[in-house]
Amino acid sequence: QLELVESGGGLVQPGGSLRLSCAASGFTSDNYAIGWFRQAPGKEREGVSCISKSGDSTNYADSVKGRFTISRDNAKNTVYLQMNSLKPEDTAIYYCAHGRLLLFSVCVLTLKDYYYWGQGTQVTVSS
């Protein structure tokens, strides 16, 4: 019933761009967060960006701020992550997740606030 499906990953050169998509289904709550997280080999999973259902709240990790942009199309139940100026250190498996909003509908990037996860999509940045 509850499903998140990521797509759009691939192999790109440094400085290139990718757009990831997260298609969500089965979520009927009036408001929630969708977050993008990534995990590189040997590292802990870390938050990348998040957005509220309304789109009024967004958040970015410092490492991607100014390069990545999160957006959503509620008519398509899809959240996007536009990734520009990609760096080798962006290489990871990227996951989207469904989670809670804090007071005043603020989305956050802490793992404890997310409950449902997609299968992940591989992003590799290499020359």
Side-chain angles (χ1 to χ4, degrees), residues 8-79:
L11 173 64
V12 297
Q13 294 183 333
S17 298
L18 283 174
R19 189 179 75 162
L20 305 183
S21 298
C22 174
S25 62
F27 300 97
T28 60
S29 59
D30 58 337
N31 205 2
Y32 55 83
I34 295 293
W36 284 100
F37 295 78
R38 66 187 182 186
Q39 188 164 23
K43 295 185 177 180
E44 296 183 354
R45 192 169 298 186
E46 63 177 353
V48 176
S49 185
C50 64
I51 189 168
S52 64
K53 183 179 180 180
S54 69
D56 291 340
S57 176
T58 60
N59 205 352
Y60 297 91
D62 288 342
S63 60
V64 307
K65 192 171 297 183
R67 299 188 297 121
F68 292 10
T69 303
I70 193 168
S71 62
R72 70 188 308 155
D73 184 343
N74 284 337
K76 297 180 179 180
N77 296 314
T78 301
V79 173

